[in-house]
Amino acid sequence: MIRKSDLKAAVDALPPGEPPSSEEIEAYLNGELSKEEEERLQTRLAHFPELARVFTEPFPDPHEAEVVEFAAASSRPLVFWRTAAIAAAVTAAVFGGLMFQSQSKARRLTSELTRPRTDLENALLLPDGQRGNPDEEAPITLPASGEDLLLMPALIHQPEFRDYRVDILDLNVPAPRPVWSSTGIRRRSDDTFEIWVPRTFLNPGIYQLVVYGIDGTMEPLAKYTVKVPRRAGQSPS
Amino acid sequence: MNPGDDRFEELYRRYRRSILAYLQRLGFSYDQANDLAQDAFTRVYRNMGRYRGEAEWNYVKTAAQNVAYNAIRARATHKRKGDNVPLENQTDLAARGAAAEEKVALSEVGAAIEKLPPSLNAPLRLWLEGFTYSEVASMLKITVDAVKSRLRDARSRLRAMLGVEIEGLEDDDDQEK
């Protein structure tokens, strides 16, 4: 039996081609395409889930938002002017606060990204099946501390390739899917790769790194199943 | 002042927050969302004469989808540069799973999926990417029942082409979050 994960792997292995152009999307959105053209465009779009999401993500209903904002005022007509003024002041304060918070957060994040970091945990990863102990099939548990993780998957007895690709698959869902993928990863002289992962990128759970060698064809070289533990002091969500 | 300015200001005041929230849900930062919302409303402003009444909200949404699409596409294209790996001869990844047991190479499965007509191919691929039935239905402008029906059809056709049983595609109700 072919499973959903096999179908997904088969689809992922297909060359993605080019996503629909801006002009094609404009025509699609304006309803200027024939049914067949629409279906073809949707099929091409399906290769690019991050682009397809533009059309599946719902818009928050603006009318609903207005109802919520004014519900308190309209329910007490006798003090309408007063309630409305208070509501307006509170709304202004809340939005002012939110805006200030957002701007402060953006500034803080920018600052954090550009300054040296110290709270980094290293994790040397040996391939599944090659860890040389009875628990070798168990996932490697990553450190529970540290703001960021430096993952260092190691290759054992693997030839050199022109290029390497690393995927990180989320195994916590019925159909495991890559949450990150990149080519052009440098193989270091000690046969390891270095991937810096902010802890916030991976929720607690099980993930699998897959390293491929690329030399005209793409060959899976090693897999590393890892467990991202809940961070020390982090409450279950 | 342009006669459409008042109407535009009203539109901007009414819908800006919805557009910002939509863009942020797509993963744009607050600042990026602000810039893109600005672009979207600029498009709306240029075409104010063409849209009236209820259609205005639809036009604002379309403009937002358009700018979001272009921004994500530009980012994705940039990311893919130098990333074109010929996969036709890719080694069978399924040294795991049932496909290997059945001696069906991933390339054969991929080729069979490619042969599906667009009406079955698109829902199948979107569903495999993890979109819910509702999301697939919304994107393809069809009903949830039609999505399930098309997944059933896709499954039958793949089974016929590959001669191997396919795990139920439309029975996975945990897809609906």
Side-chain angles (χ1 to χ4, degrees):
Chain A
M1 176 181 281
I2 294 180
R3 297 196 188 94
K4 183 180 172 187
S5 54
D6 297 316
L7 293 176
K8 175 74 171 68
V11 163
D12 287 345
L14 292 170
E18 276 296 304
S21 67
S22 311
E23 293 75 23
E24 287 172 303
I25 285 297
E26 188 137 14
Y28 172 64
L29 289 170
N30 291 336
E32 293 163 2
L33 300 182
S34 69
K35 187 162 170 44
E36 290 73 26
E37 287 171 328
E38 253 193 33
E39 284 182 346
R40 273 199 297 276
L41 181 137
Q42 288 164 342
T43 306
R44 282 168 61 203
L45 204 48
H47 290 247
F48 304 93
E50 74 278 21
L51 289 172
R53 188 156 291 286
V54 169
F55 305 101
T56 60
E57 188 63 47
F59 283 84
D61 187 339
H63 301 297
E64 216 165 69
E66 282 182 0
V67 169
V68 172
E69 278 179 36
F70 291 101
S74 59
S75 64
R76 300 187 61 185
L78 289 177
V79 289
F80 173 80
W81 65 272
R82 199 170 163 184
T83 315
I86 292 168
V90 168
T91 306
V94 167
F95 281 104
L98 285 175
M99 183 174 283
F100 178 74
Q101 267 186 351
S102 303
Q103 286 174 345
S104 304
K105 191 174 176 189
R107 274 197 299 271
R108 185 168 51 77
L109 286 174
T110 307
S111 160
E112 279 177 7
L113 282 172
T114 51
R115 71 181 176 212
R117 292 164 166 245
T118 54
D119 197 7
L120 183 71
E121 287 283 354
N122 293 2
L124 179 65
L125 309 177
L126 296 179
D128 291 355
Q130 293 183 272
R131 291 200 274 278
N133 63 55
D135 296 329
E136 65 185 16
E137 291 311 318
I140 305 164
T141 301
L142 299 179
S145 58
E147 282 287 344
D148 303 292
L149 296 165
L150 182 65
L151 304 182
M152 296 189 294
L155 291 179
I156 299 177
H157 305 310
Q158 293 287 359
E160 290 287 335
F161 285 80
R162 182 173 50 81
D163 192 8
Y164 296 89
R165 166 175 155 169
V166 177
D167 289 356
I168 300 180
L169 303 175
D170 181 356
L171 301 188
N172 305 294
V173 290
R177 55 182 167 178
V179 291
W180 181 82
S181 178
S182 181
T183 52
I185 312 275
R186 188 166 66 90
R187 179 172 177 170
R188 295 156 50 87
S189 56
D190 59 359
D191 285 338
T192 63
F193 302 88
E194 286 189 344
I195 304 157
W196 169 58
V197 183
R199 183 173 292 279
T200 48
F201 184 74
L202 300 176
N203 290 323
I206 307 291
Y207 297 84
Q208 189 174 60
L209 280 77
V210 186
V211 175
Y212 299 92
I214 300 170
D215 214 341
T217 61
M218 193 165 84
E219 185 180 333
L221 302 178
K223 294 176 180 176
Y224 312 79
T225 308
V226 298
K227 178 180 179 186
V228 177
R230 208 168 290 288
R231 197 175 173 195
Q234 184 182 2
S235 59
S237 50
Chain B
M1 182 186 257
N2 186 315
D5 283 357
D6 286 346
R7 196 152 60 94
F8 175 73
E9 278 182 27
E10 171 64 16
L11 276 183
Y12 184 80
R13 188 193 62 73
R14 187 181 298 169
Y15 299 127
R16 181 173 167 274
R17 276 176 49 209
S18 297
I19 298 302
L20 275 179
Y22 162 77
L23 291 166
Q24 286 185 305
R25 283 184 193 178
L26 287 176
F28 292 105
S29 68
Y30 180 78
D31 287 344
Q32 289 168 328
N34 254 322
D35 289 347
L36 291 174
Q38 198 75 30
D39 290 350
F41 278 105
T42 303
R43 280 170 183 247
V44 172
Y45 183 76
R46 285 187 190 138
N47 292 286
M48 279 300 288
R50 289 165 52 189
Y51 298 91
R52 289 190 163 75
E54 277 305 300
E56 281 173 342
W57 173 221
N58 284 332
Y59 189 64
V60 173
K61 287 196 286 190
T62 301
Q65 286 178 322
N66 216 318
V67 295
Y69 181 88
N70 291 340
I72 296 173
R73 187 180 190 278
R75 198 167 60 190
T77 306
H78 177 72
K79 195 176 155 192
R80 279 201 321 280
K81 276 183 183 168
D83 198 13
N84 296 323
V85 181
L87 298 176
E88 293 84 351
N89 301 319
Q90 184 182 347
T91 308
D92 193 346
L93 288 184
R96 62 183 177 82
E101 290 162 21
E102 301 278 355
K103 307 292 182 202
V104 178
L106 282 188
S107 55
E108 281 180 57
V109 180
I113 291 172
E114 287 283 75
K115 281 184 196 159
L116 291 173
S119 61
L120 303 184
N121 192 323
L124 175 62
R125 279 174 176 248
L126 289 169
W127 184 75
L128 289 173
E129 288 296 344
F131 288 102
T132 64
Y133 298 134
S134 314
E135 288 171 334
V136 176
S138 146
M139 187 188 147
L140 302 183
K141 302 172 190 167
I142 56 178
T143 64
V144 168
D145 283 343
V147 172
K148 292 181 179 178
S149 158
R150 290 186 188 192
L151 287 175
R152 271 195 296 273
D153 285 355
R155 179 188 176 197
S156 308
R157 295 217 194 177
L158 288 176
R159 188 169 50 204
M161 282 191 267
L162 297 167
V164 178
E165 192 57 44
I166 313 281
E167 184 180 43
L169 301 181
E170 69 292 350
D171 311 324
D172 196 357
D173 55 11
D174 62 358
Q175 275 283 303
E176 289 305 318
K177 298 170 243 186

